[in-house]
Every structure is written in structure tokens, then in C-alpha cells.
Amino acid sequence: MKKRLSWLAIAALTVLAGCSSTGEDERRKLELLAQSRASVISSGLPIEQGPLSIMKASASKGVVEIMMLYNTDAKGALSLDQLLRNSMNYYCTDREVKANLDLGLAYRIMIRNTRGQLMIDQMVTQQYCSQPLPN
């Protein structure tokens, strides 16, 4: 009886160790994917699209962090609500971004004004994109 319990305990620990190892592997894969995506974005910086400029991309714990500047005084500048809605629509519908979200990657979108003040700080995850976008 004791041998059987010992064997079951060892088997349970082995299974748990295997699960944590798998979780650790998945976490590491996400971190590498985030670093890769941030590196690809960084290689083409700065990216300017009208009043919006992507200035920095980095990775932290499986999250691609993208820092943008938005010139609210520029011709064609949108309201912050419209800017956020358009940005989230892109991140939630772009085929490549959506595939990364499905793998568990997240994007943190930070938009500052020309004075450096943080205007928007939004996490984009698969769960976020599965919700209807606000009107």
C-alpha cells in the first residue's frame, strides 16, 4: 500500500512538473515572439501616418509595447475617441496581428501628445478583441 501511494505521489509530481515545464515553454515562446515583433517594428522606425508617429517598440513579458506620438493640432487629426476606435479596429482585424493575439501575444498601445503627456494606454488582447468595439 505504501509503495503504491509513493508511486502515485511520484507520478503526480512528474505530471505536475511536466505541466509547469510546458507552461514555462509557452511563456518563453510568447516572450520570444513579442521580442521578434518588437524588433520588426523597431527596424522601420519612425513610422509616420499623418499626425500619428510610431516612435518606439519594445517587448516585455510577452507583450509588444508600442509608443506613439499624436499631433492633435495637425491637419486631419481625429478626436481621441476616434483615434482609439480606429487603432483598436486595426489591431483586432489585421490578419497578422490577429494571428499573434490568437497565440496569446498582447499589444500595449501608448499614445502621447506632442508635449509627452500620455493620452491613451490600452492593452489589446484576444479577449479584448472578442468584445464589441464601443461606438
Side-chain angles (χ1 to χ4, degrees):
M1 180 74 168
K2 281 187 174 184
K3 281 186 177 183
R4 187 173 198 170
L5 284 176
S6 295
W7 184 84
L8 284 174
I10 290 171
L13 287 173
T14 303
V15 168
L16 287 175
C19 289
S20 68
S21 176
T22 302
E24 191 67 26
D25 288 346
E26 289 300 313
R27 183 186 61 79
R28 184 71 184 135
K29 284 179 187 176
L30 278 179
E31 287 177 2
L32 290 172
L33 179 58
Q35 289 173 357
S36 172
R37 295 303 310 148
S39 178
V40 167
I41 294 168
S42 289
S43 69
L45 294 181
I47 300 170
E48 296 184 18
Q49 183 69 36
L52 187 65
S53 299
I54 300 174
M55 303 305 292
K56 179 182 173 188
S58 59
S60 176
K61 299 180 183 175
V63 176
V64 178
E65 297 178 342
I66 301 173
M67 177 64 66
M68 302 179 196
L69 291 180
Y70 190 63
N71 185 352
T72 56
D73 298 327
K75 184 179 179 182
L78 303 171
S79 70
L80 287 181
D81 289 337
Q82 188 64 42
L83 173 65
L84 180 60
R85 198 172 12 262
N86 288 355
S87 296
M88 295 309 102
N89 184 51
Y90 169 79
Y91 282 93
C92 291
T93 59
D94 180 77
R95 187 173 48 96
E96 186 176 354
V97 173
K98 196 162 175 25
N100 289 331
L101 293 173
D102 291 342
L103 292 173
L105 194 67
Y107 289 83
R108 180 179 178 198
I109 308 304
M110 295 169 286
I111 301 177
R112 296 184 180 275
N113 64 17
T114 53
R115 295 182 182 150
Q117 299 165 318
L118 187 63
M119 300 185 315
I120 295 173
D121 188 348
Q122 179 68 53
M123 286 294 289
V124 182
T125 63
Q126 181 185 33
Q127 182 180 11
Y128 176 88
C129 289
S130 66
Q131 301 170 3
L133 290 174
N135 293 324

